[in-house]
């Protein structure tokens, strides 16, 4: 009798543990992490399941350190009389759609959705800190962003930030006009070992 009770107890405990592990697995799968996705320049598709991905740090370099075809399109902005370029090619990969930084003391966020070709540049003249704008997967077929815990479609007029002027120019045109301009660097996502199960970003 004691053996039967012991066996029954073991079965019950095993069942509870199994259910707990299954719940953890389902929770982890329901929140995809773009940082763990291999960079595939031939795909660039984002998951239809909303998943926050913290905006990576980006750097700016001089023109001589950037290799682009002459007809490559750049998002061109001017801040305090200085020229900055954000190549669309460097912002179309998974996890690359937002660049946010304080440029010439002005917090700016450049966003680009390669699914809809929507481009928006945001500014916050009331702050001196970087705009904490992050990706939140796709919404209605386009880029979704999250700001202060609230999710918006990229083209939403309800985003509480100012729109900042930009131009689209070819790389050849922009670098000719702005030989001293600065260009945002490319991000290359490299998958780390399977044991670690994460990814790291390398800037060129």
């Amino acid at each position: 009798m004691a053996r039967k009770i012991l066996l029954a107890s073991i079965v019950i405990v095993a069942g509870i543990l199994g259910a707990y592990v299954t719940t953890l697995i389902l929770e982890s799968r329901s929140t995809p992490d773009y940082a763990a996705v291999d960079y595939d320049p031939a795909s660039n598709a984002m998951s239809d399941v909303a998943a926050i991905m913290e905006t990576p740090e980006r750097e700016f370099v001089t023109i001589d350190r950037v290799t682009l075809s002459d007809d490559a399109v750049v998002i061109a902005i001017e801040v305090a009389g200085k020229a900055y370029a954000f190549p669309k090619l460097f912002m179309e990969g998974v996890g690359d759609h937002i660049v946010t930084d304080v440029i010439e003391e002005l917090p700016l966020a450049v966003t680009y959705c390669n699914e809809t070709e929507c481009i928006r540049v945001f500014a916050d003249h009331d702050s001196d800190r970087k705009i904490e704008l992050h990706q939140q997967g796709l919404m209605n077929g386009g880029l979704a962003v999250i700001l202060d815990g609230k999710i918006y479609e990229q083209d939403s007029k309800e985003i509480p930030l100012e729109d900042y002027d930009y131009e689209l120019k070819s790389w050849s045109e922009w670098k000719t006009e702005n030989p001293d301009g600065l260009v945002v660097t490319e991000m290359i996502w490299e998958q780390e070992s399977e044991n670690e199960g994460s990814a790291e970003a390398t800037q060129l």
Side-chain angles (χ1 to χ4, degrees):
M1 184 66 179
R3 175 178 288 184
K4 291 182 179 180
I5 294 175
L6 178 60
L7 289 174
S9 299
I10 292 174
V11 170
I12 291 172
V13 171
I16 293 173
L17 288 175
Y20 177 71
V21 171
T22 300
T23 300
L24 291 178
I25 292 173
L26 290 175
E27 286 181 352
S28 66
R29 288 182 177 178
S30 67
T31 308
D33 180 5
Y34 289 133
V37 178
D38 284 323
Y39 175 72
D40 180 2
S43 173
N44 292 327
M46 292 190 295
S47 170
D48 285 329
V49 180
I52 186 171
M53 181 176 190
E54 185 174 351
T55 301
E57 295 290 334
R58 305 288 283 268
E59 294 180 356
F60 293 91
V61 296
T62 52
I63 290 172
D64 59 294
R65 292 181 56 189
V66 179
T67 301
L68 285 167
S69 63
D70 284 345
D71 60 353
V73 177
V74 303
I75 303 165
I77 66 172
E78 184 176 306
V79 190
K82 298 183 180 180
Y84 292 83
F86 300 76
K88 288 171 64 176
L89 182 63
F90 294 173
M91 296 183 64
E92 64 181 18
V94 173
D96 300 339
H97 302 290
I98 299 175
V99 178
T100 177
D101 207 339
V102 178
I103 302 176
E104 307 298 332
E105 301 184 358
L106 177 63
L108 290 169
V110 180
T111 69
Y112 168 56
C113 175
N114 62 302
E115 300 285 339
T116 62
E117 287 299 317
C118 178
I119 297 169
R120 291 188 74 184
V121 180
F122 300 104
D124 187 354
H125 285 90
D126 297 325
S127 175
D128 58 0
R129 297 183 179 181
K130 187 171 74 170
I131 299 172
E132 293 297 330
L133 188 70
H134 304 293
Q135 288 183 212
Q136 184 70 20
L138 287 175
M139 182 181 291
N140 295 325
L143 177 66
V145 299
I146 183 168
L147 178 70
D148 295 330
K150 187 173 180 179
I151 300 171
Y152 304 88
E153 294 181 40
Q154 180 199 14
D155 60 1
S156 172
K157 299 302 181 183
E158 296 182 2
I159 297 176
L161 293 169
E162 309 159 53
D163 280 289
Y164 194 84
D165 289 338
Y166 70 88
E167 292 184 282
L168 293 180
K169 294 192 174 184
S170 70
W171 172 241
S172 176
E173 179 185 13
W174 183 85
K175 68 179 181 179
T176 299
E177 295 176 350
N178 304 283
D180 297 323
L182 295 176
V183 188
V184 77
T185 51
E186 181 180 10
M187 298 292 294
I188 301 297
W189 296 93
E190 296 180 347
Q191 187 72 30
E192 293 182 339
S193 65
E194 293 183 2
N195 292 333
E196 294 181 359
S198 60
E200 64 178 7
T202 301
Q203 301 186 65
L204 294 184

